[in-house]
Every structure is written in C-alpha cells, then in structure tokens.
Amino acid sequence: MAPHRAFSFPLSYTEETARLPPFVVSKKDLSKLRSCEAFRIIRELLVDQDDQAFCDLHCNDCREDKDAWLLQRDITYALILPVLEIHRHALQIAKALLGNRHVFDLELVFRGEARGAFSWLQCFVMEEEDWCLTKGCPGCVVSYIIQAEPTIRMILVACRMSSSLRQQRNTSHLPMFDFWSQVMKKALDEDPFWGPGLWKDFEARAMALEKGIEELVRQCVELAPVAASAAEADDTPPTSPTQHFRIKAASHSLLAPQEQTHCIPGIVAGCWTTLLADAAEAKRLGPLQTASSSPLFIRSSTS
C-alpha cells in the first residue's frame, strides 16, 4: 500500500497542518501566471462552473490564504487535465474493443508498460474521482495532494508532461508550470511526515508512470482505427468533440515514429486549447445558457 500520512499521524495533527496552503509560489512565478491570459481565462471558467464554498476548517482563513487555496486548486486542475484525458481516451478505446461485458479486463487491451499505466490510472481515477474533478472545498483539494503518495505521483507526472510543452511550437500563450515540481519538492521536504530524502523516490515513481503513459498513448494511436471500426460495427453514437482532447490523427492513421515522440506535448497543448475554446464559448453564451449547455461541463472529463 502506498504511504499515507494519516496512518502515522492523528487526525487532529493532519487537520492542523492542512489549515495553511502547503505550497509557496514565488513572486516571480506568480507574476508570470497573472500575466498569462490563457490561465486567467481558465480560472474564470472554473469560477463560473463550480461552487467556491470553503469547508468549516478553511472558511475562517484570511483572504490571502483563500486566494492562495484557489490559485493552487486551479493550478492543480489545469495540470492534471491532460493526464485524465489520456486515461479517458484509453478507456474509450478499451471499451470499444472489448465492450462493457469485459469491463474488469479492460487493461488487457494494452501490453507492457502501457497496461501498467492504464491500470494505475484506472484505479486512481476510480478511487479519487472527486479530487480529480477538484470538487469541494479548494483548501481540502489542495491539502489532499500531500496526504498520500499516489496524489503526489499524479501531480509530478502532470508537471513533467506540462514541461514537455517546451518542445511544442506556438505554445507561448499557454500557461507553463515548470516551476511547480520545485514548489512540490520544497513542500514535501518541509512536511513533518514526508521530510527531506524522499524526493528521489517520488521522482523515480513519477518517471516510471510517465514512461508507461507515453507508451499508452502510442498504443492508443495504433488501436484507434480498430476501435473506430468496432464502434461503427456496434452503431455506437460518436462522442462530442468538446468532451475530450484530440490525439492528432488518432482516429485516421498511425503516427510516424518521429511524430510519436511529440504526442505528449501535443496532447497537453490540445487539452488547454480546447479548454480555452470552451471558456470563450461560455463567455459568449453567458452564465444562464452555459449552465444548461450539455457539452460544456468541463469537470466531467473522467466520466
């Protein structure tokens, strides 16, 4: 079982340490985020889509702390979205190939490291669905990150995938979260449960999962034409293009080997570009129409 701080510390201690934001964003990085129009739009969309209510533990926090909780919650959502969409796409392909009759054997569609990554993501999303959707109190969502190793691993993988955007052209307008892994490291080193000395182990686990996810994406690209044919044979209605990212050419042809190396940054850029398009559409429709517009529920990405 993955390490979990609640097994070693009393609940009261865990609550006490969860009263303050665990992550500290430097003025330089905060300034960059605030100057990023894309991130500002994403934050506005999250505000419009969700209840910002804080729980009893965090409702009396000062305005500065509440702003920090909200900022870190929004960073968390933007970071993990591409990982969740990869899982979503892989799940759709597995279901198309095996059908719901084999719902407990979906990982068998994939092989090697891709199978391990799919199984890990499947278990994680099922167990942490609310956290993946960043539902509930922003303070609880953020403080939960360092409560157990799996959530730490998820964020570190997301950080590594976000950093890959540097390989992609025409992405200067998108938010860059290169700094977040070091923010995580500092928070974990100073945490009384984790402490210094575990960072290399965290990184090694994240790198292994990232490698498996990259292989999962490659196998999804290979299997997509077969899955599309199976879906057509079953007369399955098409999925709305606004509900998930587009793996470039996934439903049309196999990617050339040199293109496969750029899959991950393309997916990250595609996720955020789609999210920005949804935000623009939400702003155009207005809050009343947005609430009743079925394709626009961005927090349903894991459903």
Side-chain angles (χ1 to χ4, degrees):
M1 180 179 293
H4 193 297
R5 61 189 297 160
F7 293 156
S8 299
F9 283 89
L11 182 59
S12 59
Y13 183 87
T14 303
E15 288 182 348
E16 183 63 30
T17 58
R19 289 183 186 277
L20 297 174
F23 309 117
V24 179
V25 183
S26 70
K27 291 182 178 179
K28 178 182 177 181
D29 292 325
L30 184 59
S31 177
K32 287 182 179 179
L33 281 179
R34 285 176 173 170
S35 64
C36 178
E37 180 70 9
F39 186 60
R40 184 187 64 78
I41 293 173
I42 291 174
R43 296 199 71 192
E44 288 179 354
L45 182 59
L46 294 180
V47 169
D48 291 339
Q49 293 272 324
D50 200 9
D51 180 7
Q52 301 295 303
F54 285 86
C55 68
D56 292 341
L57 181 64
H58 299 106
C59 65
N60 294 321
D61 289 357
C62 66
R63 172 44 51 188
E64 183 179 356
D65 284 344
K66 286 185 175 179
D67 288 344
W69 287 124
L70 288 168
L71 172 68
Q72 295 174 19
R73 189 278 311 272
D74 295 346
I75 291 174
T76 299
Y77 181 79
L79 272 172
I80 66 176
L81 178 63
V83 186
L84 297 179
E85 292 296 353
I86 289 174
H87 166 259
R88 175 186 171 87
H89 189 73
L91 184 62
Q92 289 176 336
I93 287 178
K95 285 183 176 180
L97 292 175
L98 289 184
N100 290 330
R101 300 184 306 274
H102 306 278
V103 68
F104 298 109
D105 297 323
L106 294 175
E107 71 274 6
L108 298 180
V109 168
F110 307 104
R111 59 190 184 276
E113 294 176 328
R115 180 181 295 179
F118 178 83
S119 297
W120 192 93
L121 290 173
Q122 183 81 332
C123 291
F124 182 87
V125 171
M126 291 178 64
E127 293 178 4
E128 307 291 355
E129 182 177 6
D130 285 349
W131 181 83
C132 288
L133 300 177
T134 60
K135 285 183 177 180
C137 168
C140 292
V141 169
V142 174
S143 60
Y144 190 74
I145 293 172
I146 60 173
Q147 295 301 307
E149 187 277 332
T151 43
I152 294 172
R153 193 188 318 188
M154 182 71 161
I155 293 295
L156 291 184
V157 168
C159 286
R160 296 180 64 85
M161 288 177 55
S162 172
S163 297
S164 70
L165 268 183
R166 299 292 183 187
Q167 306 171 22
Q168 193 80 354
R169 295 179 180 179
N170 303 319
T171 57
S172 59
H173 66 292
L174 296 176
M176 296 290 179
F177 299 107
D178 305 48
F179 64 92
W180 200 248
S181 60
Q182 287 305 307
V183 170
M184 286 277 294
K185 181 180 186 302
K186 185 174 186 298
L188 292 169
D189 284 348
E190 295 176 354
D191 184 81
F193 175 72
W194 300 112
L198 290 176
W199 180 251
K200 288 186 177 180
D201 182 60
F202 289 139
E203 271 197 318
R205 295 185 184 207
M207 290 172 65
L209 179 57
E210 179 191 27
K211 187 177 179 182
I213 290 175
E214 290 174 349
E215 180 59 27
L216 179 64
V217 170
R218 281 191 285 268
Q219 291 185 26
C220 282
V221 171
E222 295 172 359
L223 293 170
V226 183
S229 298
E232 290 175 3
D234 292 340
D235 197 25
T236 303
T239 303
S240 170
T242 62
Q243 292 178 341
H244 60 82
F245 74 101
R246 292 81 162 172
I247 290 184
K248 187 176 181 181
S251 60
H252 302 290
S253 61
L254 300 184
L255 291 181
Q258 64 270 23
E259 292 176 317
Q260 290 184 4
T261 60
H262 300 292
C263 260
I264 296 298
I267 289 169
V268 176
C271 278
W272 289 344
T273 300
T274 301
L275 190 58
L276 290 172
D278 286 347
E281 181 68 6
K283 188 174 182 180
R284 184 183 70 82
L285 292 175
L288 291 179
Q289 295 184 59
T290 299
S292 61
S293 178
S294 58
L296 200 59
F297 292 113
I298 60 171
R299 289 180 181 272
S300 63
S301 60
T302 59
S303 59

